[in-house]
Amino acid sequence: MNDMVPPPPHRPLRWIVPLAALAVVAGGAAWGWTQWQAQQARVAQREADAAVLVQGLAGSVEALRRDQRSTSQRVQDAAATNRVLRDEMLGLSQRNALLEENLARLADSTRHNAQALQLEEAELLLSQAGQRLAFADDVEGAKRLYALAATALEDVQGTEFLNLRQALMQERNAVDSLGPGVRAGINQRLGTFSQSLLALPEQIAPATDTAAPPWWHHVLAPFVTITPTAVQGPLTRAERTAAWDSLQLELTLARAAVERGDQAGFEQALDRVALWMPRLWPDSPGLRERRGELQQLRTQVLRPPLPELGSTLQQLRAMRDGS
């Protein structure tokens, strides 16, 4: 039996494995180089990115530092401003306190001045009211002035003015009791009296006497004509006109004396009127009645005493002088 001997291997196959190994090594080296290059590129990119990031961070830090310095400066300015404002606020607080004190003083002064003005107004009104009553007998005007004075005193505060208001009320009641006024009433009565004089008869019919005339009438009859004055009157027509004008003049003087409040002149004028009356008219009941009215007019007081008149003004002046 023939022993079988294996054929010898082909020689080219011996180089395939080394070549393949070399190719694998070369491919691995190439791939490793490529990976290394890529890694280097990535590292460089990361370094570049890191540098950019660091540069950006540096810029941000610098900006933050600038902002911090600016903020610090603003904080310092704000602190300085706050100190100034705090000082100004303290100054304003002190100034407000002074203003409040001054306003309180001003309000008190204004209130005092307003009260003083009201008292002066009341004093002026009361003085004018007294003058109207004393010189013009203007009762209505005096009443209006008293009402204004009462209004002025109503707003005055203080318990010390209660007596003053009470005195004014009493004085007003006394003035109200005068009515339209004494002088106005007297003037009206003088006008009525003057008109009543026109109705007096100028002559009176002689009384019928059946008795025989006395003997001396017969003796004197051829020489003297005897005419009773009660029948014919003592004055001629011209004298009567002049006497009437004189009587009217005396009545006018009496009215003027009433307006002035001249008691003596009023009485003197009425006395002269009383003297003219029997010369103008013969004795009669009407004449006696007119003379009685004239006598009543003469007794009238032009300025009747009023104890309350002027009491409020005196009390007000006493309070002002004592304050």
Side-chain angles (χ1 to χ4, degrees):
M1 173 179 209
N2 296 328
D3 295 330
M4 298 191 59
V5 179
H10 297 287
R11 294 194 179 268
L13 293 176
R14 291 182 304 172
W15 299 99
I16 293 175
V17 175
L19 289 175
L22 182 60
V24 171
V25 172
W31 179 82
W33 175 260
T34 302
Q35 290 298 320
W36 182 79
Q37 289 291 331
Q39 186 179 1
Q40 292 297 321
R42 287 193 297 273
V43 171
Q45 185 64 37
R46 283 196 297 270
E47 290 179 355
D49 294 338
V52 173
L53 181 60
V54 169
Q55 186 177 1
L57 290 175
S60 298
V61 169
E62 185 63 27
L64 289 174
R65 289 177 179 174
R66 289 195 300 270
D67 293 341
Q68 184 182 7
R69 288 193 296 269
S70 177
T71 303
S72 178
Q73 185 64 36
R74 286 197 296 270
V75 169
Q76 293 177 0
D77 295 341
T81 304
N82 288 334
R83 286 193 298 271
V84 174
L85 290 176
R86 186 164 51 251
D87 294 339
E88 290 183 355
M89 287 297 296
L90 291 175
L92 288 175
S93 300
Q94 296 175 356
R95 188 175 302 174
N96 288 334
L98 292 176
L99 287 176
E100 290 178 358
E101 184 179 357
N102 290 334
L103 285 176
R105 293 178 180 176
L106 181 61
D108 186 39
S109 176
T110 302
R111 184 167 54 252
H112 180 72
N113 291 336
Q115 180 172 330
L117 181 61
Q118 290 172 344
L119 293 177
E120 288 180 0
E121 180 183 2
E123 181 180 357
L124 177 61
L125 292 171
L126 291 173
S127 177
Q128 290 180 351
Q131 291 176 1
R132 280 180 177 265
L133 286 175
F135 299 105
D137 195 37
D138 186 4
V139 179
E140 295 300 324
K143 289 180 180 179
R144 290 192 294 270
L145 291 172
Y146 276 120
L148 292 175
T151 303
L153 290 177
E154 284 178 358
D155 299 332
V156 179
Q157 302 296 327
T159 57
E160 66 273 13
F161 297 102
L162 293 177
N163 295 333
L164 188 64
R165 296 191 186 95
Q166 184 177 2
L168 178 58
M169 184 181 300
Q170 295 175 357
E171 188 170 351
R172 292 182 68 183
N173 292 334
V175 173
D176 291 338
S177 64
L178 294 176
V182 177
R183 300 183 200 176
I186 293 176
N187 275 328
Q188 184 177 2
R189 292 180 62 181
L190 282 174
T192 304
F193 174 78
S194 178
Q195 293 296 326
S196 66
L197 293 179
L198 298 175
L200 291 177
E202 296 181 2
Q203 293 182 354
I204 297 178
T208 303
D209 191 3
T210 57
W215 61 269
W216 52 271
H217 282 196
H218 296 284
V219 175
L220 297 176
F223 307 102
V224 179
T225 302
I226 301 174
T227 304
T229 59
V231 177
Q232 187 175 355
L235 301 177
T236 64
R237 179 59 56 183
E239 292 173 341
R240 178 174 295 277
T241 301
W244 174 258
D245 292 340
S246 298
L247 185 143
Q248 292 298 323
L249 177 61
E250 296 300 336
L251 289 176
T252 302
L253 293 176
R255 293 189 185 95
V258 171
E259 293 295 335
R260 297 192 310 271
D262 184 3
Q263 185 72 34
F266 173 68
E267 294 175 356
Q268 292 172 4
L270 293 186
D271 290 340
R272 290 191 293 269
V273 170
L275 293 177
W276 280 110
M277 289 178 65
R279 297 192 63 186
L280 283 167
W281 298 282
D283 188 21
S284 64
L287 179 63
R288 290 191 292 271
E289 184 178 357
R290 299 290 86 78
R291 295 182 71 177
E293 292 179 0
L294 185 64
Q295 187 62 30
Q296 290 180 358
L297 278 173
R298 190 183 182 282
T299 60
Q300 295 296 315
V301 180
L302 301 182
R303 295 181 179 179
L306 288 177
E308 299 85 359
L309 187 62
S311 59
T312 308
L313 181 60
Q314 294 177 1
Q315 186 174 350
L316 178 58
R317 288 176 175 173
M319 292 178 61
R320 182 192 61 188
D321 297 337
S323 60

